[in-house]
Amino acid sequence: MLREKLKNYNVILASKSPRRQQFFKDLDIDFTIQLKEVEEIYPKKLKGKEITEFLADLKAKQFENLSENDILITSDTIVWLNNKALGKPKNETEAFDMLSSLSNKKHEVITSISIKSKNYQKTITDITTVSFKELTDEEINYYIQNYKPFDKAGAYGIQEWIGFIAINGIEGSYFNVVGLPVHKLYKALMEL
């Protein structure tokens, strides 16, 4: 349906995430990938969804010369725990610390999507609450060694081994936790 709806547009996905790229393929969207380096720095006063909305919009601002039929899509995801954003871990120690902090707790996964054209800009956000069981150090180390979750907010992928063994509850969109609230993206693109 989206392929037909967007046939006169050049859809640009500004994301190197293989999960987001797969979602676009699965939604049957014709798209190209364009990447621009962005330093993901945000004002410290921002909280929760303010952070992801700011960063999704910051990524969109890098694309200034959109043509009439371009639709640019950028997004950002964080894990929000104890009033603090967990981004992507830089190394094994950070990954271990993040997963240890998520152990036996609930956290939020927040994703914002910016949809931008020459004369239009909209940002949509989705929040999913995820509950983790208590994790042993052995389980955390096994996951880090075998899955190298350094490209994932909060140091985990729900669709991987850790999701199978550790997540005992989810409220909201599963796909948002994977990396994109596809139901909200679909609705926004159908309304264009």
Side-chain angles (χ1 to χ4, degrees):
M1 286 178 68
L2 279 175
R3 180 181 297 268
E4 183 61 25
K5 170 85 176 167
L6 302 173
K7 69 182 178 190
N8 297 320
Y9 294 97
N10 173 35
V11 178
I12 303 162
L13 173 62
S15 175
K16 59 183 169 220
S17 162
R19 294 163 301 282
R20 289 185 182 136
Q21 293 171 17
Q22 189 60 51
F23 281 139
F24 271 60
K25 290 174 189 160
D26 293 344
L27 281 171
D28 199 25
I29 298 173
D30 274 329
F31 68 100
T32 58
I33 296 166
Q34 289 184 30
L35 303 174
K36 295 200 179 193
E37 281 303 313
V38 181
E39 253 194 290
E40 296 185 22
I41 297 170
Y42 55 88
K44 294 294 173 219
K45 68 179 192 284
L46 299 182
K47 303 278 182 217
K49 73 180 197 136
E50 295 170 337
I51 296 169
T52 55
E53 288 171 357
F54 178 88
L55 290 174
D57 291 344
L58 180 69
K59 292 171 185 177
K61 283 181 182 144
Q62 308 308 305
F63 295 80
E64 290 173 3
N65 299 318
L66 294 175
S67 65
E68 287 294 330
N69 66 336
D70 286 343
I71 297 174
L72 172 73
I73 298 170
T74 59
S75 67
D76 192 76
T77 299
I78 60 168
V79 167
W80 187 249
L81 174 72
N82 298 333
N83 223 19
K84 186 175 170 226
L86 302 182
K88 297 170 186 165
K90 292 180 180 66
N91 52 44
E92 290 183 10
T93 304
E94 271 192 22
F96 186 90
D97 291 345
M98 284 184 188
L99 289 166
S100 295
S101 71
L102 295 172
S103 177
N104 207 29
K105 291 193 187 85
K106 278 186 177 183
H107 62 272
E108 292 180 328
V109 177
I110 307 170
T111 302
S112 293
I113 303 169
S114 174
I115 301 167
K116 181 180 176 182
S117 67
K118 193 174 179 91
N119 304 307
Y120 174 89
Q121 202 279 327
K122 180 178 186 171
T123 303
I124 51 178
T125 300
D126 200 44
I127 301 174
T128 305
T129 303
V130 180
S131 301
F132 263 55
K133 77 167 186 94
E134 191 157 356
L135 294 166
T136 66
D137 289 356
E138 187 181 21
E139 288 167 334
I140 293 171
N141 283 321
Y142 174 85
Y143 177 65
I144 293 168
Q145 292 305 311
N146 289 284
Y147 291 87
K148 315 274 187 242
F150 307 115
D151 68 332
K152 296 176 178 74
Y156 80 92
I158 191 172
Q159 71 281 14
E160 296 175 338
W161 180 83
I162 198 89
F164 304 154
I165 66 110
I167 292 172
N168 55 24
I170 178 171
E171 299 164 49
S173 167
Y174 167 83
F175 297 107
N176 181 47
V177 184
V178 177
L180 204 65
V182 284
H183 64 295
K184 286 195 171 178
L185 175 64
Y186 174 81
K187 182 174 186 282
L189 291 175
M190 288 300 284
E191 289 170 352
L192 275 177

